[in-house]
């Protein structure tokens, strides 16, 4: 049975880490032409192209990303072998790369990812950003999935797949002692703190206000859900959020639900890509029951 050429694999690994043939050849102290020849030999051995050229850049293909992850593990094992012989016993961990939009509830993310985060054989790599930024990373194969509270429109030319993970009710919450709020009438006089205008629940809320003929008193609008949660505890008005966002504050009595906005629901989505070599950890994550709507 043919054995993998680890010499070629290390050179491929260096190309990927250095970002191109020129810098890798300098790091390895070999000719660029020789390095290119060894890369082609490895690709022939694996039966898959590992890089594709985009202008002057070399970017990993899907097979290249898989090979790179395995190479990272293989060459990290050399250092772990030394650690083991010195009395330490490190564990190999499989990476799962998740991007989450800034407007997504941290509590929702924690409940979803907690089972994998607790495993010693899993390395969770979490990135935050705008949906546009994260989708670029997903398309570039540097993320396995993007978590979002905004679905992506279907595009026949795209390999993206959108799965609904959960739906949460949406409420107006505020500091205790003010009693129930009559929705929507009391919003004529009660300041309201809202998510940013790109939020799906903000768009639905604005539509409800237009239909009711009410121009709400806007205390602030905040794109970052963690900051929205902090500000909700400070003012005398109300904040539009799914209760899961402020579940600790509700449990502790720092905030109370003043009114449920029954016409609104917030969806939580996982955006992935159809791949020939999907990350098996991603399948485990998406196979879990949806997070409770509370």
């Amino acid at each position: 049975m043919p054995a993998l050429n680890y010499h070629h694999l290390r050179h491929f690994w260096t190309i990927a880490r250095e970002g191109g043939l020129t810098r890798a050849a300098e790091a390895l102290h070999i000719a660029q032409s020789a390095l290119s020849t060894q890369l082609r030999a490895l690709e022939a051995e694996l039966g898959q192209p590992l890089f594709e050229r985009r202008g002057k850049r070399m970017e990993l293909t899907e097979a290249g990303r898989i090979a790179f992850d395995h190479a990272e593990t293989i060459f990290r094992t050399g250092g772990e072998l030394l650690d083991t012989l010195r009395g330490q016993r490190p564990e190999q961990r499989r990476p799962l790369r998740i991007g989450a939009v800034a407007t997504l509830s941290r509590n929702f993310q924690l409940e979803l990812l907690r089972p994998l985060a607790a495993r010693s054989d899993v390395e969770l790599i979490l990135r935050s950003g705008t949906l546009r930024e994260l989708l670029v990373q997903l398309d570039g194969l540097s993320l396995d999935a993007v978590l979002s509270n905004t679905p992506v429109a279907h595009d026949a030319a795209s390999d993206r797949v959108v799965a609904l993970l959960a739906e949460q009710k949406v409420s107006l919450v505020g500091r205790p002692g003010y009693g129930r709020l009559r929705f929507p009438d009391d919003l004529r006089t009660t300041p309201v703190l809202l998510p940013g205008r790109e939020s799906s629940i903000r768009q639905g809320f604005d539509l409800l206000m237009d239909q009711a003929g009410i121009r709400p008193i806007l205390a602030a609008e905040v794109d970052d859900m963690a900051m929205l949660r902090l500000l909700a505890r400070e003012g005398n008005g109300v904040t539009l959020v799914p209760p899961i966002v402020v579940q600790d504050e509700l449990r502790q009595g720092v905030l109370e639900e003043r009114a449920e906005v029954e016409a609104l629901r917030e969806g939580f989505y996982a955006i992935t890509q159809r791949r020939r070599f999907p990350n098996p950890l991603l399948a485990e994550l998406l196979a879990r029951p949806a997070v409770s709507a509370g």
Side-chain angles (χ1 to χ4, degrees), residues 134-155:
L134 295 173
L135 289 178
V136 169
Q137 296 179 54
L138 179 70
D139 293 342
L141 305 177
S142 59
L143 288 176
D144 294 304
V146 173
L147 302 178
S148 173
N149 48 2
T150 303
V152 176
H154 176 71
D155 182 353

Side-chain angles (χ1 to χ4, degrees), residues 20-253:
L21 284 165
T22 301
R23 291 175 58 181
E26 292 173 355
L28 294 167
H29 305 291
I30 63 175
Q32 184 172 328
S33 58
L35 187 59
S36 181
T37 298
Q38 292 176 8
L39 174 61
R40 289 196 298 270
L42 178 63
E43 290 178 324
E45 185 176 2
L46 296 177
Q48 301 285 342
L50 301 177
F51 291 98
E52 59 181 356
R53 289 194 175 275
R54 295 188 177 178
K56 295 183 178 180
R57 295 182 301 157
M58 293 179 65
E59 295 189 1
L60 288 169
T61 63
E62 183 181 349
R65 171 59 63 183
I66 300 298
F68 179 75
D69 285 344
H70 280 279
E72 287 269 79
T73 300
I74 289 168
F75 296 124
R76 187 169 58 236
T77 300
E80 292 173 348
L81 173 61
L82 294 176
D83 290 338
T84 299
L85 295 178
R86 292 168 183 160
Q88 301 173 7
R89 302 190 64 82
E91 296 179 339
Q92 295 185 8
R93 307 176 73 193
R94 294 181 292 166
L96 178 65
R97 299 174 176 85
I98 301 291
V101 298
T103 56
L104 191 67
S105 163
R106 302 298 193 271
N107 287 335
F108 175 82
Q109 295 177 51
L110 180 60
E111 289 192 25
L112 179 70
L113 299 173
R114 180 181 281 120
L116 289 178
R119 287 174 47 176
S120 61
D121 63 330
V122 175
E123 179 184 5
L124 273 178
I125 301 168
L126 305 179
R127 308 193 193 285
S128 181
T130 66
L131 181 58
R132 180 177 299 178
E133 292 168 345
L134 295 173
L135 289 178
V136 169
Q137 296 179 54
L138 179 70
D139 293 342
L141 305 177
S142 59
L143 288 176
D144 294 304
V146 173
L147 302 178
S148 173
N149 48 2
T150 303
V152 176
H154 176 71
D155 182 353
S158 172
D159 288 330
R160 293 176 189 154
V161 179
V162 181
L164 177 65
L165 300 177
E167 283 189 321
Q168 305 281 338
K169 74 175 188 177
V170 176
S171 297
L172 290 164
V173 303
R175 293 166 63 186
Y178 291 88
R180 296 293 293 179
L181 181 142
R182 295 175 302 153
F183 180 84
D185 293 340
D186 284 351
L187 291 180
R188 299 180 192 275
T189 56
T190 304
V192 60
L193 179 63
L194 296 173
R197 295 182 183 275
E198 292 190 3
S199 164
S200 60
I201 62 172
R202 170 63 185 279
Q203 295 168 12
F205 177 83
D206 288 346
L207 178 59
L208 291 175
M209 292 298 96
D210 287 342
Q211 292 171 346
I214 295 174
R215 176 173 290 182
I217 303 170
L218 182 60
E221 61 178 33
V222 183
D223 285 329
D224 185 85
M225 195 57 66
M227 179 58 69
L228 189 70
R229 176 184 178 181
L230 292 175
L231 291 176
R233 300 183 293 192
E234 301 297 324
N236 293 328
V238 293
T239 302
L240 183 75
V241 288
I244 191 174
V245 174
V246 291
Q247 62 183 7
D248 294 336
E249 288 82 356
L250 292 172
R251 188 181 303 117
Q252 296 163 5

